[in-house]
Each structure stands twice: as C-alpha cells, then as structure tokens.
Amino acid sequence: MKKIKIKNLALSALLTAVIAVTAWVSVPTPLGVNLAFTLFGVSIAGFLLGVKGALAATVTYIALGAAGLPIFSFFSGGAGVLLGPSGGFIWGFLAVAILCGLAKNIEKSALKYLLMTFYAVVNMVQLILKI
C-alpha cells in the first residue's frame, strides 16, 4: 500500500476549506442570478493538487455537505441538496476536478496554458449566461 504524504493530505484539507468558503461567496448580477465561486475553488484544487488531490478535496467537500454541514452555496447542506435542482451542478465538480487535475500534469507549457485559458473563458461564458 502506498503511503499518503502528510503534505498532500494537509493541502487537500486546506483546499476543501477553500472550496467551502468560495461556495459562500456570491455576487448578484443584473439578470437576477447570483454567481457562486465554488467552481473557482474546485479549479484551483485541480490545478494545484492534480487529479488525486483535487478529487480528495472535492469528494470531502461533497461528503461534508451531504452529512448536513452548511457548506454548499447559500449556507445549505444535507443530502436533499445533492438530490435537488443544484445537485447536478455539485456532482459536476468531480468532472471539473479531474479535468483541471489532468491539465496540471500536461508537460508542454503552451498546451497547458491554452487549456487553462480555454477553461477560464468557458467558465466566464457559463457564469454570464448561466447555462
């Protein structure tokens, strides 16, 4: 069995907290839709920790929220949130963690920054249009 490094465990725990805090930060828009920054926190976890660390942080975030801690957007929590209208968005954080974690491992810097830029542009369009 492979040993888990304390540094990686601590970074995953720290980024779980960052994801939770970014979920509480929201900005009202003129369209009447509030924008939460949770996706930003999950993306940072992926780019900093890679696939395994980002998945650990994201799964921990989802598990804590499912257990009832109010760490989802608008200080909500519980299994009902994961099964409600915003549940699919929360489960989608797992895919974001994987994609951003894979981008961290790309060796060619030009391709890495192109992928990160594309990802940032797509997220901005989604946030603006709320798709």
Side-chain angles (χ1 to χ4, degrees):
M1 182 166 48
K2 189 175 181 181
K3 291 184 179 180
I4 299 174
K5 293 183 180 179
I6 297 297
K7 176 184 172 186
N8 293 343
L9 186 63
L11 283 174
S12 291
L14 176 67
L15 283 162
T16 298
V18 168
I19 294 169
V21 169
T22 56
W24 295 338
V25 178
S26 64
V27 175
T29 64
L31 302 173
V33 177
N34 290 338
L35 302 178
F37 288 95
T38 316
L39 201 56
F40 176 72
V42 174
S43 303
I44 292 298
F47 289 131
L48 291 178
L49 299 177
V51 176
K52 290 181 183 178
L55 274 177
T58 307
V59 166
T60 304
Y61 167 74
I62 292 172
L64 290 172
L69 291 176
I71 59 173
F72 295 140
S73 61
F74 303 112
F75 296 98
S76 61
V81 176
L82 295 175
L83 300 173
S86 64
F89 192 72
I90 294 171
W91 289 113
F93 293 156
L94 295 172
V96 171
I98 291 170
L99 291 175
C100 291
L102 289 174
K104 178 188 186 284
N105 297 329
I106 294 175
E107 295 298 325
K108 300 193 185 266
S109 62
L111 182 60
K112 179 190 279 189
Y113 291 115
L114 179 66
L115 182 61
M116 289 171 66
T117 305
F118 174 74
Y119 176 76
V121 169
V122 167
N123 278 325
M124 291 305 294
V125 169
Q126 284 180 335
L127 287 174
I128 291 170
L129 300 178
K130 204 59 173 168
I131 300 175

